[in-house]
């Protein structure tokens, strides 16, 4: 019995890539769902902007904001380094406070009302792109595995004359 070639081994290991893309797509879809739910069902509160970091570098695509949120029941939440897409961060420049929504069952879920629609849509779009990429990658890996299984490794074939 012939030992499997390196190409066959690599083709089988490549199944991890679409699996990773599917897992990423599911995680991003869950994040989008949580953002949408927080935006729609969360408690409205005002948050003080304690720091806003907007990078002027092209290679940095995310900026961040630090918030001090005062909930209606008197609790104060601190959210540090809340990521913001680089295109949306300038909307907060020069502001001292913003309206946010917080879900009471999970105070870690905080969305800035002005940016919520764009952010949950971006997360949903990224989830769909990841899932589609996973499907395309899986089709390619399946084709490659099928080719190797039926015709063998092209490196071991003799050239036709």
């Amino acid at each position: 019995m012939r030992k499997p070639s390196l190409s066959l081994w690599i083709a089988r290991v490549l199944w991890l890539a679409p699996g990773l893309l599917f897992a990423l797509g599911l995680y991003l879809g869950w994040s989008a769902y949580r953002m949408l739910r927080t935006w729609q069902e969360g408690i409205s509160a005002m948050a003080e902007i304690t720091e806003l970091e907007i990078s002027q570098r092209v290679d940095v695509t995310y900026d961040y904001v630090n918030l001090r949120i005062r909930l209606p029941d008197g609790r104060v939440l601190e959210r540090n380094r809340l990521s913001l897409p680089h295109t949306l961060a300038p909307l907060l420049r020069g502001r001292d406070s913003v309206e946010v929504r917080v879900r009471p069952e999970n105070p870690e879920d905080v969305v800035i009302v002005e940016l919520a629609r764009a952010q949950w849509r971006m997360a949903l779009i990224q989830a769909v792109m990841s899932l589609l990429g996973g499907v395309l990658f899986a089709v390619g890996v399946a084709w490659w595995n099928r080719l190797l299984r039926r015709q063998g490794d092209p490196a071991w074939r003799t050239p036709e004359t």
Side-chain angles (χ1 to χ4, degrees):
M1 181 168 156
R2 201 163 88 176
K3 202 166 116 178
S5 69
L6 182 62
S7 296
L8 186 59
W9 184 81
I10 290 171
R12 289 181 179 154
V13 170
L14 273 177
W15 280 110
L16 295 174
L20 181 64
L21 286 171
F22 285 127
L24 181 63
L26 292 174
Y27 174 76
L28 287 169
W30 177 249
S31 294
Y33 170 73
R34 282 182 29 201
M35 271 191 255
L36 177 64
R37 198 164 153 221
T38 302
W39 180 37
Q40 291 176 341
E41 301 171 7
I43 296 171
S44 184
M46 288 305 289
E48 175 188 347
I49 297 175
T50 57
E51 183 181 357
L52 176 63
E53 175 65 33
I54 299 177
S55 173
Q56 299 302 322
R57 293 176 37 197
V58 177
D59 59 328
V60 177
T61 58
Y62 277 88
D63 300 323
Y64 70 88
V65 64
N66 293 343
L67 300 175
R68 183 175 297 121
I69 305 163
R70 300 192 188 284
L71 296 176
D73 64 4
R75 287 185 294 166
V76 176
L77 300 174
E78 295 272 342
R79 288 288 292 168
N80 294 321
R81 300 187 70 87
L82 184 66
S83 292
L84 296 171
H86 187 67
T87 55
L88 300 178
L91 298 173
L92 302 180
R93 186 177 281 146
R95 300 189 49 194
D96 296 332
S97 63
V98 290
E99 183 183 356
V100 295
R101 300 262 179 165
V102 181
R103 280 210 342 249
E105 65 271 9
N106 188 4
E108 290 297 311
D109 287 343
V110 174
V111 294
I112 299 171
V113 173
E114 288 180 55
L115 309 178
R117 181 178 178 155
Q119 279 195 287
W120 86 265
R121 280 183 167 183
M122 288 168 67
L124 184 63
I125 289 168
Q126 290 171 349
V128 169
M129 287 176 21
S130 181
L131 291 172
L132 286 176
V135 167
L136 291 175
F137 208 123
V139 167
V141 171
W143 174 83
W144 182 245
N145 275 282
R146 181 177 177 213
L147 176 80
L148 289 175
R149 200 171 45 252
R150 287 185 171 185
Q151 298 179 7
D153 190 345
W156 297 105
R157 284 191 223 144
T158 57
E160 296 179 16
T161 55

